[in-house]
Amino acid sequence: MSAYKLETAPFDPRFPNQNVTRYCYQSYIDFHRCQKKRGEDFAPCNYFQKVYKSMCPNAWVEKWDDQRESGTFPGRI
Amino acid sequence: MSTWANLGLQDSASPLMEQLIFFHDHAFMLFFNNYVNRFLLHGQRLLYLLDEINEPSVTLKSIGHQWYWSYEYSDFNNIEFDSYMIPTNELSTDGFRLLDVDNRIVLPMNSQIRILVTAADVIHSWTVPALGVKVDGTPGRLNQTNFFINRPGLFYGQCSEICGANHSFMPIVIESVPVNYFIKWISSNNSSLDDWKQVLVS
């Protein structure tokens, strides 16, 4: 994430079409599953975090974070 | 109302749009010359070109609201801002009526850009004719498209899906700048951002 090179979430062949809703959701879930399984300090999990932060609208992320906190998040983490 | 006066397309600012214009003008010319569809092959080439996979360098999220767009750049620090049309009574004399906005989208030129469009309430559509882009924003869905701007400048568009009373009054303006200017803008979050809405996460 240097100041001189622009980089963003890469093309993911699992989601080749116009609708990338699932790419955002899947990356969010994968990050939290990775953290839960490997611990908060496991650095490779941050790849998923970078992807979901780039792909997911902030409002969706906030809503899901609130849901996780209150135990009402519909996905399995 | 469509008349013979608006046959042409806006000047292109993207290589794909340039190809679309060639195809359009070519097809138009042949149509009026009553020739057989020799441009079928041409059209297929273009369809494939439009589906090319490319690695973007920037991701821009655009969320449609009633009746403004909000934009998020989350690749580096988290920049978000709203973009409202400048009302006609507050417009400067050199401004474009119904097209100018308070905060423009700043994007680097000569870089592949990914845009993700969604909406917060009803269906909107994000479009910039000069780049050949039109993407619907639907609540709960994230639509992706890529484009490439090959020159600096200002490019305008208007919401293209009926979304209520002020559907005609939520335009889009892209300010295309060289890459180093864009990087400077991103890292300094300068005054072209809506003040109270600006969120910085370092």
Side-chain angles (χ1 to χ4, degrees), chain B residues 117-192:
Chain B
V117 185
T118 184
D121 35 44
V122 298
I123 304 179
H124 299 267
S125 185
W126 193 90
T127 176
V128 180
L131 303 172
V133 178
K134 183 175 290 183
V135 191
D136 279 5
T138 305
R141 181 185 169 108
L142 206 51
N143 277 333
Q144 166 187 273
T145 194
N146 288 298
F147 58 85
F148 183 95
I149 312 178
N150 56 16
R151 58 187 170 97
L154 294 175
F155 307 109
Y156 294 84
Q158 295 173 292
C159 177
S160 298
E161 186 61 46
I162 187 85
C163 53
N166 287 345
H167 154 70
S168 312
F169 310 115
M170 45 183 292
I172 296 136
V173 185
I174 294 185
E175 183 180 325
S176 167
V177 295
V179 185
N180 50 344
Y181 279 74
F182 175 72
I183 292 177
K184 241 192 294 181
W185 178 80
I186 282 264
S187 29
S188 65
N189 302 308
N190 67 17
S191 58
S192 83

Side-chain angles (χ1 to χ4, degrees), chain B residues 25-97:
Chain B
D25 293 349
H26 186 62
F28 224 93
M29 189 238 330
L30 290 182
F31 178 73
F32 282 101
N33 276 326
N34 286 336
Y35 280 116
V36 168
N37 288 1
R38 263 184 284 174
F39 46 69
L40 277 179
L41 221 52
H42 222 55
Q44 186 185 49
R45 180 188 72 98
L46 192 50
L47 277 174
Y48 282 138
L49 266 179
L50 291 166
D51 265 345
E52 279 285 307
I53 294 170
N54 34 43
E55 284 291 337
S57 38
V58 185
T59 297
L60 168 70
K61 282 171 268 176
S62 131
I63 297 113
H65 305 258
Q66 281 176 314
W67 287 282
Y68 63 98
W69 293 95
S70 68
Y71 300 105
E72 296 171 9
Y73 298 72
S74 307
D75 294 329
F76 336 94
N77 39 20
N78 190 26
I79 303 178
E80 338 175 35
F81 57 89
D82 295 340
S83 179
Y84 281 84
M85 181 188 84
I86 297 183
T88 309
N89 55 4
E90 289 170 33
L91 197 57
S92 61
T93 38
D94 60 350
F96 287 128
R97 191 179 70 92

Side-chain angles (χ1 to χ4, degrees), chain A residues 40-71:
Chain A
E40 308 233 332
D41 296 328
F42 191 64
C45 289
N46 289 335
Y47 170 78
F48 297 120
Q49 182 173 59
K50 277 178 71 177
V51 172
Y52 90 68
K53 279 198 190 299
S54 284
M55 298 295 291
C56 299
N58 295 342
W60 294 10
V61 174
E62 284 163 22
K63 182 174 110 182
W64 292 334
D65 287 343
D66 291 341
Q67 284 178 331
R68 276 189 306 114
E69 252 164 81
S70 63

